[in-house]
């Protein structure tokens, strides 16, 4: 099957129309007619080969929504016509200890939707049906797309570190991931502090559920927040003064990085010993967390704020994302 898509032919290039022959539909696969695809900052990192993992031609796009148009012989949980979403991960071995424990996102043999495979910025996607998730009725497709990578990536650490009404959660960087973290944390009943470098977002962040909005880059303001926060989730794809953020944590506090901050993290050990603080990372979410997140989002009406544009405007979308102008997730539509 010939698929019309958009690809970067070399690192850092603008996307161009690109047609490819999809691999034969495997027994465990589904074919999806793509209606929407969100633009995640990881797509930008992939286009730029920032992680030395990209393969070209590269069709980005891993917040994919569409209708199932064909199913492999072994697929029993999805039928033609089902509306599904696909995120960053496209497969796992399903046999290792981590998969058996339900942590497929930690499987050593996992594959990503748009590394070594062509992603969702096209008309069709063939992928493993076990990573295609039925979408709740009533959830708009454009608004479901950002949940499939951005949503699950912030929902997972909120669940893992016990976000609840007793805790204060700080969200550092309020873009595609961050604005969903603010909304989820507010729905969990947490006190929510949003840290932003964009003063014009302040009013919107309060409307999303932030109880307090702080500058993410003003050292003086950050020093004033010492001992205030239980869980900090950083979505920032840049380096910040992590020592100031550690100081903002209460005892047993956690600084969890989901944003791909470049370079080394350097903090004095004493900052971790005193107050038993931790720095950790979090990697998307497993399938169980994805299903739980979609149900939670539907129940609590966690609706991403999206800018919807035609798929042909993909390069404009990428430019806006690079320039931090997206409010708050750009979703491309076929
Ligand atoms: P995004 O929409 O561009 O949001 C990132 C936000 O970070 C921006 O909106 C901005 O928020 C802030 N920011 C950007 N540059 C900054 C700078 N120089 N200084 C301070 N703040 C800055 O990106 P995204 O799609 O949310 O993705 C964020 C990061 O998460 C990326 O690195 C992406 O690769 C990573 N990611 C990781 C996973 C995972 O599994 N761990 C999954 C998905 C994405 P303000 O305007 O509020 O300051
Ligand atoms: Zn992503």
């Amino acid at each position: 099957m010939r698929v019309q898509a958009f690809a970067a032919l070399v690192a850092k290039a603008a996307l161009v129309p690109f047609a490819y022959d999809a691999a034969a539909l495997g027994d465990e696969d589904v074919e999806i007619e793509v209606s929407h695809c969100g633009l995640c900052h990881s797509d930008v990192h992939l286009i730029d080969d920032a992680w030395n993992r990209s393969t070209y031609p590269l069709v980005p796009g891993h917040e994919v929504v569409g209708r199932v148009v064909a199913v492999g012989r072994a697929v029993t949980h999805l039928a033609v016509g089902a509306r599904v979403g696909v995120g960053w991960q496209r497969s796992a071995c399903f046999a290792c200890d981590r998969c058996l424990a339900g942590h497929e996102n930690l499987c050593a043999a996992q594959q990503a939707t748009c590394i070594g495979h062509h992603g969702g910025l096209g008309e069709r996607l063939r992928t493993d049906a076990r990573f295609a998730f039925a979408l709740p009725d009533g959830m708009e497709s454009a608004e479901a797309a950002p949940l499939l990578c951005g949503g699950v990536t912030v929902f997972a650490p909120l669940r893992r570190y016990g976000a609840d009404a007793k805790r204060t959660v700080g969200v550092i960087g309020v873009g595609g991931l961050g604005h969903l973290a603010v909304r989820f944390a507010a729905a969990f009943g947490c006190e929510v502090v949003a840290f932003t470098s964009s003063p014009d977002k302040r009013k919107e962040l309060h409307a999303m559920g932030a109880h307090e909005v702080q500058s993410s880059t003003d050292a003086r303001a950050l020093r004033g927040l010492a001992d205030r926060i239980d869980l900090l989730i950083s979505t920032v794809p840049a380096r910040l003064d992590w020592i100031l953020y550690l100081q903002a944590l209460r005892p047993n506090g956690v600084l969890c990085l989901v944003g791909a901050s470049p370079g080394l993290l350097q903090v004095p050990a004493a900052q971790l010993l005193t107050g038993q603080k931790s720095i950790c990372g979090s990697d998307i979410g497993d399938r169980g967390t994805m299903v739980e997140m979609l149900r939670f989002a539907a129940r609590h009406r966690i609706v991403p704020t999206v800018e919807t544009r035609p798929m042909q405007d993909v390069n404009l979308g990428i430019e806006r994302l690079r320039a931090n102008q997206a409010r708050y997730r750009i979703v491309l539509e076929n």
Side-chain angles (χ1 to χ4, degrees):
M1 183 195 52
R2 198 85 178 141
V3 178
Q4 302 296 330
F6 289 91
L9 301 183
V10 293
K12 300 190 168 78
L15 271 53
V16 292
F18 168 74
Y20 68 93
D21 290 314
L25 192 75
D27 288 352
E28 298 281 5
D29 291 347
V30 278
E31 182 176 320
I32 299 165
E33 185 176 50
V34 176
S35 66
H36 295 83
C37 187
L39 281 182
C40 173
H41 212 109
S42 297
D43 291 316
V44 173
H45 297 311
L46 286 178
I47 291 167
D48 293 349
D49 200 16
W51 300 325
N52 299 317
R53 295 166 69 189
S54 303
T55 49
Y56 301 88
L58 170 90
V59 178
H62 58 273
E63 289 184 341
V64 192
V65 172
R67 292 258 171 215
V68 172
V69 291
V71 295
R73 277 182 303 187
V75 176
T76 52
H77 72 294
L78 291 173
V80 169
R83 197 173 58 117
V84 295
V86 175
W88 173 264
Q89 189 171 356
R90 62 162 279 137
S91 67
C93 79
F94 298 106
C96 69
D97 290 355
R98 284 164 270 184
C99 282
L100 292 177
H103 304 309
E104 306 90 359
N105 59 319
L106 304 179
C107 173
Q110 67 177 287
Q111 294 187 36
T113 297
C114 36
I115 300 179
H117 300 272
H118 292 313
L121 292 182
E123 291 176 341
R124 299 272 170 122
L125 182 75
R126 281 185 178 168
T127 194
D128 191 315
R130 292 167 290 187
F131 283 90
F133 301 90
L135 295 175
D137 292 338
M139 190 180 265
E140 294 289 333
S141 294
E143 291 163 351
L147 298 173
L148 294 158
C149 177
V152 74
T153 299
V154 296
F155 187 83
L158 287 169
R159 290 284 284 111
R160 189 177 315 130
Y161 300 110
D164 64 23
K166 294 195 295 288
R167 288 188 166 74
T168 303
V169 170
V171 176
I172 312 171
V174 195
L177 269 62
H179 91 290
L180 293 172
V182 167
R183 289 199 160 119
F184 279 127
F188 280 123
C190 308
E191 183 192 18
V192 183
V193 183
F195 293 87
T196 182
S197 64
S198 306
D200 62 297
K201 291 181 178 174
R202 184 169 284 272
K203 214 171 134 190
E204 287 163 345
L205 300 188
H206 281 295
M208 289 175 195
H211 301 98
E212 192 176 323
V213 179
Q214 294 285 349
S215 163
S216 59
T217 50
D218 177 346
R220 240 184 70 162
L222 288 171
R223 272 190 211 100
L225 291 173
D227 199 13
R228 273 288 315 279
I229 294 174
D230 299 293
L231 170 61
L232 279 165
I233 298 182
S234 172
T235 74
V236 172
R239 268 193 243 193
L240 294 179
D241 190 336
W242 303 116
I243 295 174
L244 291 176
Y245 283 103
L246 281 179
Q247 288 166 355
L249 289 175
R250 289 186 181 131
N252 294 318
V254 174
L255 166 59
C256 178
L257 304 184
V258 294
S261 172
L264 298 178
L265 294 175
Q266 285 185 311
V267 298
Q271 290 275 342
L272 300 175
L273 309 182
T274 312
Q276 300 180 173
K277 297 172 182 177
S278 318
I279 303 180
C280 63
S282 192
D283 193 2
I284 50 169
D286 55 44
R287 294 186 301 161
T289 305
M290 180 76 94
V291 170
E292 187 186 332
M293 180 276 303
L294 288 169
R295 286 185 191 147
F296 184 97
R299 190 182 315 127
H300 293 277
R301 306 200 188 292
I302 307 292
V303 180
T305 303
V306 298
E307 287 182 26
T308 309
R309 296 177 178 277
M311 190 75 79
Q312 300 87 286
D313 289 353
V314 58
N315 288 309
L316 176 65
I318 291 170
E319 270 170 44
R320 287 183 59 73
L321 178 55
R322 282 186 191 278
N324 195 22
Q325 288 170 345
R327 294 292 183 276
Y328 283 80
R329 189 57 122 200
I330 292 166
V331 176
L332 302 168
E333 194 169 33
N334 270 322

